[in-house]
């Protein structure tokens, strides 16, 4: 059972996510909270996955993210946003968020996204991921440099990068291309070093910008993963 905490400043949003996710047999929302109660709730419930609103009036999502990342038991965090472009998203990724998605995501996909996160994969809203790079000149310049580095990856590393961007965990990638999870982990470490990024989400964004995901939808889990 995947344990989830949902943090949002709107009670209706919290209730909606709770109802949708609890309909899945292997997913359980163990608590919901607003920004002010978020860190204490996470500390008490020790969830596997935290769905965290990026903009809240009392305590914003970035503050909660930083505090949660400092806890001994750190859940995987995906940021929730209502905006196609949100200047906080890149900061959230640098602070350790494992992905981001729009609140109007198809409800039928939410449980699979949570499974992807719990399995070590990444989840990205296609609209938001395109808009983040397009809407931030500094990010765009950095991304262009990163795309150039994609050309320096080996064929195997590119293969692994595509699967990372699809949202697969190391174990799932290994099963797909007949490698051990340890070998995949080594490949992922090499990819992050060569691309000069700090996490799988940033690597996945570069894969998308480099055109490696053409026709794949761009979000972990969206094509049945």
């Amino acid at each position: 059972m995947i344990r989830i905490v949902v943090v949002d400043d709107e009670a209706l949003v919290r209730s909606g996510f709770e109802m949708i996710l609890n309909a899945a047999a292997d997913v359980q929302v163990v608590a919901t909270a607003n920004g002010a109660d978020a860190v204490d709730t996470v500390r008490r419930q020790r969830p596997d996955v935290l769905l965290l609103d990026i903009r809240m009036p009392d305590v914003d999502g970035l503050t909660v993210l930083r505090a949660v990342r400092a806890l001994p038991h750190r859940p995987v965090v995906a940021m929730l946003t209502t905006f196609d472009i949100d200047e906080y998203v890149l900061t959230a990724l640098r602070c350790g968020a494992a992905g981001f998605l729009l609140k109007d995501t198809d409800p039928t996909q939410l449980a699979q996204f949570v499974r992807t996160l719990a399995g070590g994969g990444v989840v990205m809203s296609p609209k938001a991921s395109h808009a983040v790079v397009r809407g931030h000149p500094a990010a765009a310049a950095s991304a262009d440099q990163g795309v150039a580095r994609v050309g320096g990856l080996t064929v195997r590393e590119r293969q692994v990068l595509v699967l990372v961007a699809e949202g697969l965990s190391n174990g799932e990638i290994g099963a797909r291309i007949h490698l051990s999870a340890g070998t995949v982990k080594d490949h992922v470490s090499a990819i992050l070093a060569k691309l000069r990024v700090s996490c799988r989400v940033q690597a996945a964004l570069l894969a998308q910008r480099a055109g490696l995901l053409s026709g794949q939808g761009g979000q972990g889990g969206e094509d049945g993963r």
Side-chain angles (χ1 to χ4, degrees), residues 114-133:
V114 166
R115 296 183 190 106
T116 296
L117 291 164
V122 299
V123 170
M124 300 185 295
S125 163
K127 290 191 295 183
S129 60
H130 285 300
V132 164
V133 175

Side-chain angles (χ1 to χ4, degrees), residues 55-80:
R55 292 192 178 192
M56 296 180 286
D58 44 7
V59 180
D60 70 85
L62 294 179
T63 299
V64 173
L65 175 61
R66 293 186 181 102
V68 166
R69 294 289 296 170
L71 295 176
H73 176 84
R74 295 180 293 181
V76 178
V77 182
M79 310 305 293
L80 304 175

Side-chain angles (χ1 to χ4, degrees), residues 8-225:
D8 195 283
D9 64 306
E10 296 184 24
L12 184 60
V13 173
R14 297 195 300 267
S15 298
F17 271 77
E18 183 174 19
M19 179 181 67
I20 293 166
L21 289 169
N22 280 343
D26 59 339
V27 171
Q28 180 184 12
V29 176
V30 295
T32 66
N34 58 24
D37 299 328
V39 179
D40 285 341
T41 300
V42 171
R43 183 183 293 112
R44 183 173 63 255
Q45 296 292 341
R46 297 169 64 90
D48 303 302
V49 175
L50 171 62
L51 301 182
L52 176 60
D53 188 6
I54 202 166
R55 292 192 178 192
M56 296 180 286
D58 44 7
V59 180
D60 70 85
L62 294 179
T63 299
V64 173
L65 175 61
R66 293 186 181 102
V68 166
R69 294 289 296 170
L71 295 176
H73 176 84
R74 295 180 293 181
V76 178
V77 182
M79 310 305 293
L80 304 175
T81 177
T82 57
F83 302 93
D84 283 3
I85 299 178
D86 196 313
E87 64 268 27
Y88 293 161
V89 168
L90 288 176
T91 302
L93 297 181
R94 295 189 190 103
C95 290
F100 55 94
L101 53 93
L102 299 179
K103 292 184 183 180
D104 63 358
T105 297
D106 185 344
T108 63
Q109 297 179 335
L110 286 177
Q112 183 56 50
F113 290 162
V114 166
R115 296 183 190 106
T116 296
L117 291 164
V122 299
V123 170
M124 300 185 295
S125 163
K127 290 191 295 183
S129 60
H130 285 300
V132 164
V133 175
R134 187 177 65 248
H136 293 76
S142 177
D144 287 340
Q145 295 172 2
V147 168
R149 297 185 190 110
V150 171
L153 300 179
T154 67
V155 173
R156 176 66 86 183
E157 287 168 346
R158 286 194 181 203
Q159 184 182 27
V160 171
L161 175 59
V162 168
L163 297 176
V164 165
E166 287 182 7
L168 275 64
S169 66
N170 289 347
E172 290 166 330
I173 293 172
R176 179 78 66 87
I177 59 178
H178 310 293
L179 296 175
S180 70
T183 299
V184 173
K185 182 179 179 180
D186 291 340
H187 280 307
V188 172
S189 296
I191 290 166
L192 298 183
K194 288 184 178 181
L195 297 183
R196 302 181 190 176
V197 296
S198 60
C199 69
R200 296 165 77 102
V201 176
Q202 293 171 347
L205 283 170
L206 289 180
Q208 185 180 67
R209 189 169 175 84
L212 299 185
L213 309 184
S214 299
Q216 295 180 11
Q219 181 165 336
E222 192 157 71
D223 295 317
R225 157 62 195 100

